[in-house]
């Protein structure tokens, strides 16, 4: 079997070019006689890998100098706790709950202080993003928290929420690097890399320096203090070296592609092909309100569970993998991250058109 079209929500498709380069360097990285997998994180060679990865990410996202870039472990889930532990001075966080991950973050924050749910779209199964232009921000809130793109439900914030001067924290795991972002709108941006950047194992945190505190309570675990890793240049303990190396290659690939403005154009084009089909289909329909649609994750249904199952089975046999929707939603979901080529989406739509004819 050759390469399939992998529509997985994460771990997800990676650029073939990056995988090929990694394969070529697997046994001998640039003449050093060993694999990056075997390399000491304290070596000059690995230091160069992580420095270059950070520099390329800063370049891609125009990250200002007063923000630290940290390569961490524990995934986005660990940041659900790290955010309140590092940011709560008054013991209050305001949460906009637009999906499973935002809800989990909100629940986790309740262990450490008061977590206010100031807006939610749970009333319609998270199928839209609530109006965030005039939120009931708590006067004593230390921060406002959002999950910017909701992988499971296929929604994305169309604009930056108005936090009325409060620090904005965003989990951007499933939309990072898909389009330009003004980093200065946020105090903290973090993302698990396994969706749009690299293999599982790293969460990158971009944190404004004034939010990295040295006056945290003694009870905050060392590994959950952002200052620990900021002071050590992400090297307080052994980092996930190989994942960082692959992320670095993806950053270079994105630069070569033309950067984030180009990626936005490509992603809009890809998403339009699929959404246009869904909007005109007599069998399939999208589940998200058009104004809240994600460019990265596209959920859809037939309205018949048996037909959904049949579609997923036949799609898999035809080489379109991981189209089954999340267990909490059902139906189907196509994740069309940066590395999914346009022809992958075009071929999927061709397959869906044939399926519709056969099952109308």
């Amino acid at each position: 079997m050759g390469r399939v079209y992998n529509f997985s929500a994460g771990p997800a498709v990676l650029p073939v070019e990056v995988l090929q380069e990694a394969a070529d360097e697997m046994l001998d990285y640039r003449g050093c006689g060993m694999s990056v997998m075997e390399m000491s994180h304290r070596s000059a060679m690995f230091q160069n890998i992580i420095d270059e990865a950070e520099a390329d990410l800063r370049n891609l996202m125009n990250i200002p100098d007063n923000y630290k870039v940290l390569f961490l472990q524990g995934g986005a889930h660990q940041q659900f706790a790290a955010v309140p532990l590092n940011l709560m001075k008054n013991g209050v966080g305001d949460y906009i709950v637009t999906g499973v991950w935002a809800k989990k973050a909100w629940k986790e924050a309740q262990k450490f202080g008061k977590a206010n749910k100031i807006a939610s779209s749970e009333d319609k199964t998270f199928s839209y993003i609530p109006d965030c232009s005039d939120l009931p921000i708590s006067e004593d809130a230390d921060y406002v928290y959002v999950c910017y793109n909701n992988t499971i439900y296929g929604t994305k914030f169309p604009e930056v929420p108005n936090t009325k001067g409060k620090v904005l924290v965003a989990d951007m795991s499933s939309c990072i690097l898909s389009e330009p972002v003004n980093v200065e709108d946020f105090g903290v941006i973090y993302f698990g890399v396994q969706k749009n950047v690299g293999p599982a194992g790293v969460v990158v945190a971009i944190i404004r320096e004034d939010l990295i505190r040295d006056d945290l309570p003694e009870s905050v675990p060392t590994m959950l203090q952002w200052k620990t890793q900021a002071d050590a240049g992400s090297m307080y303990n052994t980092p996930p070296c190989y994942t960082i190396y692959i992320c670095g290659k993806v950053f270079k690939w994105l630069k070569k592609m033309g950067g984030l403005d180009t990626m936005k154009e490509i992603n809009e084009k890809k998403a339009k092909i699929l959404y246009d089909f869904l909007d005109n289909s007599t069998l399939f329909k999208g589940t998200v309100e058009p104004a809240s649609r994600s460019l990265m994750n596209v959920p859809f249904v037939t309205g018949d569970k048996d037909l959904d199952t049949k579609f997923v089975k036949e799609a898999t046999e035809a080489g379109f993998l991981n189209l089954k929707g999340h267990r909490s939603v059902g139906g189907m979901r196509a994740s069309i991250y940066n590395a999914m080529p346009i022809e992958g989406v075009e071929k999927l739509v061709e397959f869906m058109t044939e399926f519709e004819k056969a099952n109308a």
Side-chain angles (χ1 to χ4, degrees), residues 112-286:
F112 310 108
K114 189 179 173 195
N116 302 308
K117 190 198 288 185
I118 58 166
S120 173
S121 54
E122 197 164 7
D123 61 330
K124 293 185 184 171
T125 329
F126 299 125
S127 60
Y128 70 102
I129 297 294
D131 178 9
C132 294
S133 59
D134 188 18
L135 294 161
I137 306 284
S138 313
E139 263 183 51
D140 55 352
D142 294 303
Y143 60 90
V144 177
Y145 183 101
V146 294
C147 180
Y148 223 56
N149 185 93
N150 298 282
T151 326
I152 292 174
Y153 300 95
T155 60
K156 178 179 179 291
F157 278 77
E159 54 208 20
V160 180
N162 176 8
T163 64
K164 300 176 182 175
K166 300 290 183 186
V167 170
L168 182 58
V169 177
D171 173 354
M172 291 196 183
S173 294
S174 53
C175 62
I176 198 70
L177 303 177
S178 62
E179 58 184 340
V181 167
N182 181 22
V183 175
E184 287 179 296
D185 289 337
F186 304 85
V188 181
I189 293 171
Y190 70 82
F191 53 94
V193 301
Q194 71 277 7
K195 298 171 184 295
N196 216 16
V197 187
V202 168
V203 56
V204 177
I206 301 164
I207 307 167
R208 209 173 64 215
E209 284 176 353
D210 62 296
L211 300 174
I212 298 174
R213 294 164 54 197
D214 55 10
D215 63 340
L216 293 177
E218 281 288 307
S219 58
V220 178
T222 306
M223 287 298 288
L224 290 181
Q225 296 178 31
W226 289 332
K227 187 168 169 42
T228 302
Q229 291 287 11
D231 286 352
S234 301
M235 296 276 197
Y236 178 76
N237 65 326
T238 311
C241 300
Y242 198 78
T243 301
I244 292 167
Y245 155 76
I246 299 288
C247 291
K249 287 199 176 299
V250 172
F251 300 152
K252 289 204 182 303
W253 175 77
L254 286 167
K255 285 173 74 176
K256 195 168 128 187
M257 291 288 285
L260 302 191
D261 288 313
T262 303
M263 292 318 298
K264 184 184 184 191
E265 278 174 38
I266 295 169
N267 288 325
E268 283 174 344
K269 189 175 170 186
K270 276 192 299 198
K272 188 177 189 304
I273 293 166
L274 190 45
Y275 285 126
D276 282 354
F277 170 77
L278 292 171
D279 288 344
N280 293 295
S281 171
T282 52
L283 179 64
F284 298 100
K285 69 171 194 294

Side-chain angles (χ1 to χ4, degrees), residues 278-300:
L278 292 171
D279 288 344
N280 293 295
S281 171
T282 52
L283 179 64
F284 298 100
K285 69 171 194 294
T287 57
V288 174
E289 292 185 7
S292 301
R293 284 171 167 175
S294 165
L295 291 179
M296 296 284 99
N297 312 101
V298 184
F300 56 96

